[in-house]
Amino acid sequence: MTSSSPQSISARDLHEWLSSGSALQLVDVREHSELEIASFPGEVEHLPLSESNLWLSDLPARLTTNKPIVVICHAGIRSRNFGCWLLEQGPDYDVWNLEGGIHAWSVEVDPSVPRY
């Protein structure tokens, strides 16, 4: 991917992608308190932005260039910013941003996920 911005994906399209069994890496950049309110169902790499000093040095070991990375936050803004930054670090990453974040996931896919 040569773009400096992540590609956008809707909650419904992400749900279809996950349901198809495609290999993805989900990265949630929200804070611990946000995950306590509304966690994303499924396996997620949690990289809270406020704690970047704790995970930044081992980021290459945590993320892969072998499969698409979908970044998640509350509304899609922090995740987009992280996705842009990630593409600057490694242009080989295939980065997607969940439009509307976990809020959109709750509204469009899984209403059992609390909104906040």
Side-chain angles (χ1 to χ4, degrees), residues 3 13 24 30-31 40 42 46 67 71 84 92 96-98 102-103 105 107 115:
S3 173
D13 287 344
L24 302 173
R30 295 178 296 148
E31 302 304 316
F40 191 87
H46 184 216
K67 54 188 170 183
V71 188
C84 290
D92 293 335
W96 295 73
N97 179 49
L98 177 58
I102 193 75
H103 181 85
W105 183 267
V107 170
R115 287 184 275 164

Side-chain angles (χ1 to χ4, degrees), residues 8-94:
S8 294
I9 188 166
S10 71
R12 286 188 181 124
D13 287 344
L14 176 58
H15 182 257
E16 288 179 20
W17 208 359
L18 291 168
S19 297
S20 75
S22 296
L24 302 173
Q25 183 169 18
L26 301 173
V27 175
D28 196 326
V29 298
R30 295 178 296 148
E31 302 304 316
H32 294 282
S33 60
E34 292 177 282
L35 292 184
E36 290 174 11
I37 296 168
S39 61
F40 191 87
E43 186 177 331
V44 176
E45 180 74 34
H46 184 216
L47 301 175
L49 293 180
S50 67
E51 297 178 7
S52 61
N53 60 316
L54 300 176
W55 51 258
L56 195 57
S57 63
D58 66 338
L59 190 62
R62 290 176 173 240
L63 301 182
T64 181
T65 58
N66 297 335
K67 54 188 170 183
I69 297 169
V70 179
V71 188
I72 302 163
C73 72
H74 179 227
I77 296 168
R78 286 175 287 174
S79 54
R80 184 181 186 289
N81 290 338
F82 177 80
C84 290
W85 176 85
L86 186 59
L87 287 168
E88 290 174 4
Q89 308 312 303
D92 293 335
Y93 289 120
D94 182 9

